[in-house]
Amino acid sequence: MDLYTRHDDIKEVLYTPEQISARVEELGRTIAEDYREAMLAGEELVLVTLLCGAATFSSDLARAIEMPLILDYMNVSSYGNSTQSSGIVTIENDISTDVKGRHVILVEDIIDSGLTLKFMRKNMLARGPLSVEIATFLQKRREGQANVPCKYVGYECGDEFIVGYGLDYAGRYRNIPAICVLKPEVYS
Ligand code: IMP
Ligand code: MG
């Protein structure tokens, strides 16, 4: 932690690794309760993780959900190396799991414009699942965010650029174990 709080590019630590793991445990317990009936009825749950940002969150979340589930991953891109959403979402690698007749939770690291999840939710619904919900570790409070229903949100955050716990800027900072605000001078 010390190493990172003193890191020149980090403006501030928003959530420590201890806070993050407590919150993820809570989300896992809530999800397990919400899908209990479905599991007992023999229905299956698929966690669809949006790479690369949500990989860290989803591996912790999946282990906090104490019930059988299927983990799969997809690569979508909307950002490139800039800090503004392009609005164009492309699927670079799809899941191999058939979600038809199964429950889906889309796992995302952060919602900014909401365009990625708006697109992905529609895309998943078209595959004939029993249900589609969204779990995001962070949701930015900002103007003009697309209205996507997010059932599971770790934390809300301000309209700043966040790194750590899987979130990157130009591929870097993902391995910082805390959620941090990046100094604006790094990307401006
Ligand atoms: P949206 O489509 O604008 O909601 O953007 C969602 C994607 O943009 C996320 O999956 C992140 O990869 C990326 N993103 C948005 N805001 C941030 C941020 O503050 N830090 C790191 N990545 C971000
Ligand atoms: Mg992402």
Side-chain angles (χ1 to χ4, degrees):
M1 278 303 299
D2 262 349
L3 184 65
Y4 295 116
T5 51
R6 277 192 248 115
H7 195 293
D8 286 346
D9 298 345
I10 299 306
K11 186 178 144 198
E12 143 190 36
V13 172
L14 295 181
Y15 298 104
T16 64
E18 293 73 23
Q19 290 172 313
I20 292 169
S21 76
R23 183 68 187 117
V24 174
E25 287 294 322
E26 274 176 10
L27 289 174
R29 275 196 301 274
T30 305
I31 291 171
E33 280 164 25
D34 289 354
Y35 288 87
R36 200 182 122 82
E37 292 287 308
M39 295 300 115
L40 292 174
E43 295 166 2
E44 290 181 292
L45 173 63
V46 187
L47 293 194
V48 176
T49 300
L50 303 184
L51 296 173
C52 300
T56 308
F57 172 46
S58 87
S59 71
D60 286 346
L61 182 65
R63 286 175 292 176
I65 302 171
E66 288 192 37
M67 60 171 53
L69 53 78
I70 296 165
L71 272 172
D72 209 336
Y73 302 86
M74 63 196 290
N75 224 301
V76 299
S77 77
S78 62
Y79 255 56
N81 277 350
S82 110
T83 59
Q84 292 292 308
S85 178
S86 64
I88 302 157
V89 181
T90 46
I91 296 179
E92 284 160 4
N93 277 297
D94 207 343
I95 47 171
S96 55
T97 308
D98 185 2
V99 298
K100 193 171 178 3
R102 290 167 162 158
H103 295 280
V104 171
I105 299 180
L106 280 165
V107 184
E108 178 60 306
D109 52 357
I110 186 165
I111 299 180
D112 182 14
S113 70
L115 293 172
T116 306
L117 278 173
K118 192 178 173 203
F119 172 90
M120 277 314 308
R121 189 169 174 277
K122 206 174 154 205
N123 180 287
M124 277 299 135
L125 283 168
R127 304 182 193 207
L130 291 174
S131 67
V132 176
E133 298 293 351
I134 290 167
T136 184
F137 187 68
L138 293 168
Q139 181 164 20
K140 277 191 192 175
R141 283 181 302 266
R142 56 160 270 183
E143 294 286 305
Q145 190 174 71
N147 189 19
V148 269
C150 297
K151 192 160 184 189
Y152 308 104
V153 179
Y155 297 107
E156 290 191 344
C157 64
D159 193 4
E160 297 182 288
F161 203 81
I162 312 292
V163 294
Y165 196 60
L167 287 89
D168 74 309
Y169 173 65
R172 301 173 66 200
Y173 313 103
R174 289 194 202 278
N175 65 326
I176 296 178
I179 286 286
C180 307
V181 177
L182 192 63
K183 281 185 185 166
E185 54 263 39
V186 176
Y187 54 84
S188 53

